[in-house]
């Protein structure tokens, strides 16, 4: 009995999960519902899932808007879902619906990545999988990749990355890697969209560190990007959203402030939604603020 009591002793109580002395992890929040890819007859958006690798397991869900002609080339948004690095999916109903709506309104092809989640695959799996998927997308630049939709219809001179919450954080890291490492010739990362990004400076800092056994502490550059990393962002413009009632409001604003001090040569806009909570646009996609947020994203994507 004493042994059982010791095993049930909590060592960590984080926002998304609890950790017990015996190493067990109890997820507080689970969103396991997923839906298969399906076309949307109302908007003409088509959808398919494509496996990139099986070891590790990485896939993408691709959304292709209605085309005016079979030879049409359209810009591409590489999208990274949120969920605290531990829940949600590219095939979650919320993200499937959101990407379909965004593809229809923007006339962008959207590639939504399915990356490894904690605890099955601790951080940095999310970063490595997303980078591998972006490189896979870029490998189609000469029209000879394995995925026909990308070969036939992607305009690789107009590529964007974006995501919300954890996906906003990963979007920053991808933009940094593009600046530091690069993408194949002919592929241009134009901009990045960070919606309520998960950066350091909140009560969730130690949760991120627990999920990342190889992390380097509170100043880990993936959680708390330094000025020198921000200065290397490999895109020319950024759009950042924060929500007034979001616990990640200040980390998002701090990132924007660091961006202005970093010497990065691009342009950036910060948008704050008053009286709104974290990722409200996914929870209430038809509310006025969510509609305006999407219009702002579409305008950012289509602006030359």
């Amino acid at each position: 009995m004493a042994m059982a009591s010791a095993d049930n002793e909590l060592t960590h109580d984080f926002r998304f999960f609890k950790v017990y002395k015996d190493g067990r992890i109890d997820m507080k929040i689970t969103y396991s519902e997923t839906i298969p890819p399906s076309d949307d007859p109302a908007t003409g958006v088509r959808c398919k899932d494509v496996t990139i690798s099986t070891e590790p397991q990485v896939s993408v869900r691709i959304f292709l808007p209605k085309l005016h002609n079979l030879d049409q080339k359209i810009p591409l948004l590489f999208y990274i879902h949120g969920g605290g690095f531990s829940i949600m999916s590219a095939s979650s109903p919320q993200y499937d619906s959101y990407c379909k709506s965004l593809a229809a309104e923007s006339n962008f092809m959207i590639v939504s990545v399915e990356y490894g989640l904690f605890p099955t695959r601790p951080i940095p799996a999310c970063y490595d999988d997303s980078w591998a998927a972006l490189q896979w997308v870029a490998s189609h630049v000469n029209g000879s990749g394995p995925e026909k939709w990308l070969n036939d219809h992607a305009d690789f001179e107009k590529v964007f990355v974006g995501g919300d919450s954890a996906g906003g954080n990963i979007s920053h890291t991808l933009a940094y890697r593009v600046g530091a490492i690069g993408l194949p010739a002919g592929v241009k990362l134009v901009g990045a969209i960070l919606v309520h990004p998960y950066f350091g400076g909140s009560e969730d800092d130690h949760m991120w560190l627990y999920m990342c056994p190889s992390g380097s502490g509170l100043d880990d550059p993936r959680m708390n990007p330094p000025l020198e990393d921000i200065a290397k962002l490999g895109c020319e413009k950024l759009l950042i959203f924060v929500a007034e009632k979001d616990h990640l409001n200040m980390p998002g604003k701090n990132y924007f402030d660091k961006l202005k001090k970093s010497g990065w040569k691009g342009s950036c806009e910060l948008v704050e939604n008053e009286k709104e909570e974290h990722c409200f646009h996914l929870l209430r996609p038809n509310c006025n603020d969510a509609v305006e947020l999407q219009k702002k994203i579409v305008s950012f994507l289509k602006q030359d």
Side-chain angles (χ1 to χ4, degrees):
M1 294 295 293
M3 179 66 72
S5 176
D7 288 346
N8 287 325
E9 181 181 342
L10 273 178
T11 57
H12 301 284
D13 190 358
F14 298 121
R15 182 184 301 275
F16 278 63
F17 57 90
K18 297 178 180 180
V19 183
Y20 293 90
K21 191 173 182 178
D22 64 358
R24 286 180 297 119
I25 295 173
D26 181 17
M27 300 299 296
K28 293 182 182 179
I29 304 174
T30 57
Y31 288 97
S32 57
E33 182 184 3
T34 60
I35 57 175
S38 63
D39 297 345
D40 183 2
T43 62
V45 173
R46 300 167 65 192
C47 180
K48 70 165 75 170
D49 287 344
V50 180
T51 297
I52 294 174
S53 68
T54 55
E55 192 60 45
Q57 182 70 39
V58 183
S59 63
V60 293
R61 177 161 290 189
I62 306 178
F63 302 84
L64 183 68
K66 186 175 181 179
L67 301 172
H68 298 296
N69 61 72
L70 294 179
D71 298 323
Q72 185 178 1
K73 297 286 188 178
I74 56 175
L76 183 146
L77 170 62
F78 185 85
Y79 195 82
I80 308 106
H81 72 80
F85 306 94
S86 59
I87 60 172
M88 304 302 285
S89 164
S91 57
S92 295
Q94 298 94 323
Y95 284 105
D96 180 84
S97 175
Y98 180 68
C99 288
K100 280 177 178 168
S101 175
L102 195 55
E105 188 171 342
S106 66
N107 200 42
F108 267 56
M109 183 187 302
I110 296 180
V111 178
S112 182
V113 60
E114 191 77 86
Y115 55 86
L117 300 174
F118 175 89
T120 305
R121 297 186 60 221
I123 298 172
C126 55
Y127 299 108
D128 295 341
D129 291 354
S130 298
W131 177 242
L134 182 61
Q135 290 179 303
W136 175 84
V137 168
S139 73
H140 293 74
V141 64
N142 294 320
S144 57
E147 172 47 47
K148 182 174 174 57
W149 283 1
L150 288 167
N151 288 333
D152 292 349
H153 302 300
D155 180 352
F156 288 99
E157 290 289 336
K158 296 181 180 178
V159 176
F160 291 73
V161 298
D164 59 88
S165 195
N169 172 294
I170 297 169
S171 295
H172 154 79
T173 301
L174 291 181
Y176 163 72
R177 288 189 180 185
V178 170
I181 301 172
L183 288 171
V187 183
K188 180 180 180 181
L189 182 63
V190 178
I193 303 163
L194 281 55
V195 182
H196 311 159
Y198 184 144
F199 288 122
S202 77
E203 62 268 35
D204 290 338
D205 288 10
H206 290 282
M207 181 174 75
W208 187 95
L209 289 172
Y210 188 88
M211 290 188 287
C212 184
S214 61
S216 56
L218 293 174
D219 289 326
D220 189 290
R222 294 162 295 187
M223 181 176 69
N224 189 14
L227 294 181
E228 55 266 30
D229 282 11
I230 294 176
K232 294 178 182 177
L233 293 179
C235 57
E236 58 191 36
K237 60 180 183 176
L238 254 78
L239 177 61
I240 303 172
F241 290 92
V242 296
E244 182 184 11
K245 294 185 177 180
D246 184 5
H247 72 290
L248 294 173
N249 178 288
M250 285 310 301
K253 289 181 176 178
N254 289 340
Y255 179 89
F256 178 70
D257 289 341
K258 288 195 288 187
L259 192 70
K260 293 187 293 183
K261 298 174 183 176
S262 70
W264 178 65
K265 302 301 183 183
S267 62
C268 182
E269 182 179 359
L270 177 73
V271 178
E272 181 170 17
N273 291 109
E274 298 179 353
K275 300 179 182 179
E276 292 291 3
E277 304 279 356
H278 186 69
C279 288
F280 68 90
H281 63 296
L282 295 171
L283 301 173
R284 296 181 288 112
N286 297 318
C287 75
N288 290 338
D289 283 344
V291 171
E292 288 303 314
L293 184 148
Q294 181 157 310
K295 286 182 179 179
K296 187 73 175 177
I297 290 176
V298 171
S299 176
F300 174 80
L301 291 171
K302 300 181 81 169
Q303 183 178 21
D304 291 330

